[in-house]
Amino acid sequence: MTLPATMRAVEITEYGKPEVLKLCERPVPQPKAGEVLVRVSAAGINRPDVLQRRGHYPVPPGGSDIPGLEVAGEVVAVGSGVSLWTAGQKLCALLQGGGYAEYCTVPAPQCLPIPKGLSAVEAASLPETFFTVWSNVFDRARLAPGESLLVQGGSSGIGVAAIQMAKAFGHKVLATAGSPQKCSACEELGADRAINYKTEDFVTIVKEATGGRGVDVIIDMVAGEYVERELKCLADDGRLVIIALLGGTRGTLSLNEILTRRLSLTGSTLRPRPVSFKGAIARSLREKVWPHLESGAIKPVIYRIFPLAEARRAHELMESSTHIGKIVLTID
Ligand SMILES: NC(=O)c1ccc[n+]([C@@H]2O[C@H](COP(=O)([O-])OP(=O)(O)OC[C@H]3O[C@@H](n4cnc5c(N)ncnc54)[C@H](OP(=O)(O)O)[C@@H]3O)[C@@H](O)[C@H]2O)c1
């Protein structure tokens, strides 16, 4: 197949507001050893893209400066040493960057087949949030059979994945969100109780909903002053995993809670982790989660689709926080 020399992409022309996102012409990247070249059909938008655009989320060494952490599309070429993927196959993939473009390269271990029955748009909405939730809730925080989960930010891209994955594995799930409409969406996705954190105290509701015991695991994107309250709603031996700091980098906490009730406080960011780490998550997702997507037990939640040229509007929507689930760009 003859590939064009150049492609359309969206670049961050300078750090700032959504209008710094501009359409540009870039060389089509070449796959290195172990990489796949993908013709992109759709690219998911994630909050880390917004942080990158504002200058608060540096590109790891070797990563593309073009934003975009997840895509779905078709393999058009492979680098040396790639045997599992060949030209013509459809896939979705977790990237280190470069998704807002007609073509991107990705390490082969970070690619997954499009779950049967899903569209490219739906498949593009999966990798960043599903890798993050699997890594933090199931690997890092070791959510075990019979245990319960609290999802802070239940209507976010991360939240809709976390609620559905935990429900698919039979866990009790509580979730917070900032409006009645968002709370209803969380419950429709399976949350046993959604908590409107603007009108209800999540510590009180979590205690009530768990018979005073508390939840075993919390996935948290707020942190800051939330942490002290979150420790109070963990069960003994509970684990709090922080994946973002929307509420700030500083808070107070009672070390006594940790000491006397054997609590664990941890966190992680996915993007800088090595290919081998991400490849291991991809294998777990394919084996344990992809069947639930193919059966329809877990459904992608697509809130709005924009063409690539309107990436600016997609970021404006994400920053308005009026969305529920995922925002996706399409590339024709
Ligand atoms: N560590 C990692 O590897 C990793 C990977 C991917 C994403 N992330 C982080 O995860 C977060 C979610 O990403 P996303 O792409 O899913 O973004 P998103 O869809 O824009 O979601 C952000 C959410 O934060 C919620 N929120 C803000 N303040 C809140 C509060 N006080 N209590 C409860 N919810 C609150 C908002 O809901 P309301 O409007 O209801 O407040 C909104 O749903 C981002 O901060 C992102 O940087 C981390």
Side-chain angles (χ1 to χ4, degrees):
M1 178 190 290
T2 313
L3 293 171
T6 60
M7 64 176 187
R8 286 182 311 142
V10 168
E11 64 185 0
I12 300 169
T13 50
E14 61 183 301
Y15 295 138
K17 296 191 168 152
E19 50 264 37
V20 303
L21 295 173
K22 297 256 165 66
L23 214 47
C24 64
E25 190 100 344
R26 289 283 188 99
V28 170
Q30 299 299 309
K32 299 192 201 74
E35 288 184 342
V36 168
L37 177 64
V38 180
R39 182 166 52 218
V40 179
S41 300
I45 305 261
N46 291 280
R47 185 70 64 149
D49 308 348
V50 171
L51 298 180
Q52 180 178 341
R53 195 203 70 224
R54 290 187 192 152
H56 302 313
Y57 201 49
V59 178
S64 168
D65 66 308
I66 295 170
L69 298 171
E70 59 186 0
V71 296
E74 182 179 339
V75 178
V76 289
V78 297
S80 61
V82 174
S83 55
L84 293 179
W85 296 100
T86 53
Q89 284 180 306
K90 302 279 173 66
L91 52 65
C92 56
L94 177 78
L95 313 178
Q96 251 201 352
Y100 295 11
E102 289 178 308
Y103 294 87
C104 69
T105 52
V106 54
Q110 295 173 205
C111 299
L112 282 156
I114 292 180
K116 286 185 199 70
L118 264 54
S119 67
V121 163
E122 290 172 323
S125 78
L126 303 174
E128 175 69 9
T129 52
F130 278 62
F131 276 68
T132 300
V133 171
W134 184 269
S135 169
N136 286 288
V137 173
F138 295 95
D139 281 345
R140 181 158 288 276
R142 305 176 312 284
L143 185 67
E147 289 192 330
S148 53
L149 174 70
L150 169 65
V151 181
Q152 298 282 22
S155 65
S156 65
I158 290 280
V160 299
I163 291 170
Q164 292 193 87
M165 282 162 78
K167 285 313 291 181
F169 292 112
H171 298 278
K172 177 168 191 149
V173 178
L174 309 177
T176 60
S179 72
Q181 190 202 8
K182 288 182 171 186
C183 285
S184 300
C186 292
E187 290 182 352
E188 277 160 29
L189 289 170
D192 297 277
R193 170 72 152 94
I195 304 160
N196 182 339
Y197 69 87
K198 291 186 177 158
T199 57
E200 298 179 297
D201 173 33
F202 70 78
V203 180
T204 307
I205 306 291
V206 167
K207 285 288 179 72
E208 278 173 13
T210 56
R213 179 179 175 273
V215 287
D216 298 287
V217 172
I218 303 174
I219 178 167
D220 179 31
M221 58 187 70
V222 182
E225 294 299 332
Y226 261 32
V227 174
E228 186 162 33
R229 295 167 64 204
E230 287 173 327
L231 295 185
K232 287 190 181 18
C233 46
L234 278 177
D236 290 357
D237 295 296
R239 290 84 71 195
L240 166 60
V241 58
I242 293 174
I243 62 156
L245 306 165
L246 290 168
T249 56
R250 289 178 186 278
T252 49
L253 57 93
S254 166
L255 297 172
N256 187 46
E257 291 273 359
I258 293 178
L259 179 79
T260 58
R261 300 202 300 111
R262 303 173 302 281
L263 306 181
S264 300
L265 173 52
T266 183
S268 76
T269 54
L270 178 65
R271 195 177 188 184
R273 303 307 296 276
V275 172
S276 57
F277 179 86
K278 294 171 183 169
I281 301 172
R283 288 193 295 279
S284 296
L285 287 174
R286 187 170 184 171
E287 182 194 338
K288 303 204 169 87
V289 178
W290 257 222
H292 291 289
L293 283 156
E294 295 185 344
S295 75
I298 300 178
K299 293 186 174 62
V301 182
I302 309 297
Y303 184 77
R304 187 87 188 263
I305 302 166
F306 292 93
L308 178 67
E310 294 183 22
R312 167 194 170 161
R313 288 181 57 213
H315 274 223
E316 285 168 349
L317 174 58
M318 176 158 275
E319 286 181 280
S320 76
S321 263
T322 50
H323 63 289
I324 292 171
K326 296 283 299 194
I327 304 165
V328 177
L329 298 175
T330 50
I331 294 119
D332 42 37

